[in-house]
Amino acid sequence: MKMKHTILAVLGAVALLWSACGSDKQKETAQIQELKDSIIAVHDEVMPKMGALNQMAKQLQLRNDSLQVDTLANKEQMANNALLIEELKNASAAMMQWMRAYKHGAFDTLAFEAAKAYADEQLKAVNDVANAMNQAEGKAKEALN
């Protein structure tokens, strides 16, 4: 009878631990999913701007081409446009590079701490890309108006 109580107590403790571990695992999974959702939300917010950035770079290049008539008088504006064209291209390239490097499936194979570190790193990276795109877009809009 005492052995039966001991076995039941051990089984109860194991069940309690298993339940607690399952709860921790669910919290970890939810935390990773929240980070993944944040990463994709930033991407989805700025990705549609890629076409606009490329279009603005083309418009600035056309302006520079038309300013070639009097390069002495337009030298500064042409230099500013060239820098802005480069910034627009770099922002677009940064998005493409981030998308190629981002590994959706990495979260499934990593332990929680490694998955969280990767997610934090990717969230920072995509936010940096978004900031670069938004800044370049703002400057280009100002220059084109």
Side-chain angles (χ1 to χ4, degrees):
M1 194 68 140
K2 190 170 185 166
M3 181 70 146
K4 186 176 182 183
H5 285 240
T6 305
I7 290 173
L8 286 175
V10 168
L11 287 175
V14 168
L16 186 61
L17 283 172
W18 187 52
S19 170
C21 289
S23 177
D24 286 347
K25 182 66 174 167
Q26 288 173 338
K27 287 178 187 173
E28 290 173 352
T29 301
Q31 189 175 2
I32 295 300
Q33 187 60 49
E34 187 177 318
L35 285 166
K36 287 169 45 177
D37 291 346
S38 296
I39 291 166
I40 297 305
V42 172
H43 166 271
D44 290 350
E45 177 188 327
V46 293
M47 183 60 194
K49 295 181 179 187
M50 292 284 290
L53 295 183
N54 291 331
Q55 190 61 33
M56 286 186 269
K58 288 178 185 176
Q59 289 174 342
L60 287 166
Q61 186 58 57
L62 287 173
R63 276 206 182 158
N64 267 7
D65 293 346
S66 69
L67 294 174
Q68 288 287 337
V69 175
D70 188 358
T71 54
L72 289 177
N74 300 317
K75 184 178 178 179
E76 185 177 341
Q77 185 178 359
M78 290 173 63
N80 289 339
N81 287 346
L83 288 173
L84 192 48
I85 291 166
E86 191 66 25
E87 188 173 344
L88 289 163
K89 288 180 179 181
N90 288 341
S92 293
M95 175 56 87
M96 297 305 292
Q97 182 180 7
W98 177 82
M99 288 189 310
R100 281 191 298 274
Y102 182 66
K103 298 184 181 11
H104 295 275
F107 299 101
D108 301 333
T109 60
L110 297 173
F112 171 71
E113 288 301 323
K116 185 175 179 326
Y118 180 70
D120 288 340
E121 172 188 307
Q122 291 304 307
L123 185 56
K124 182 191 178 316
V126 76
N127 274 316
D128 290 348
V129 168
N131 289 336
M133 290 177 72
N134 289 330
Q135 287 177 1
E137 178 187 39
K139 290 177 185 177
K141 282 180 177 179
E142 186 178 312
L144 289 167
N145 288 330

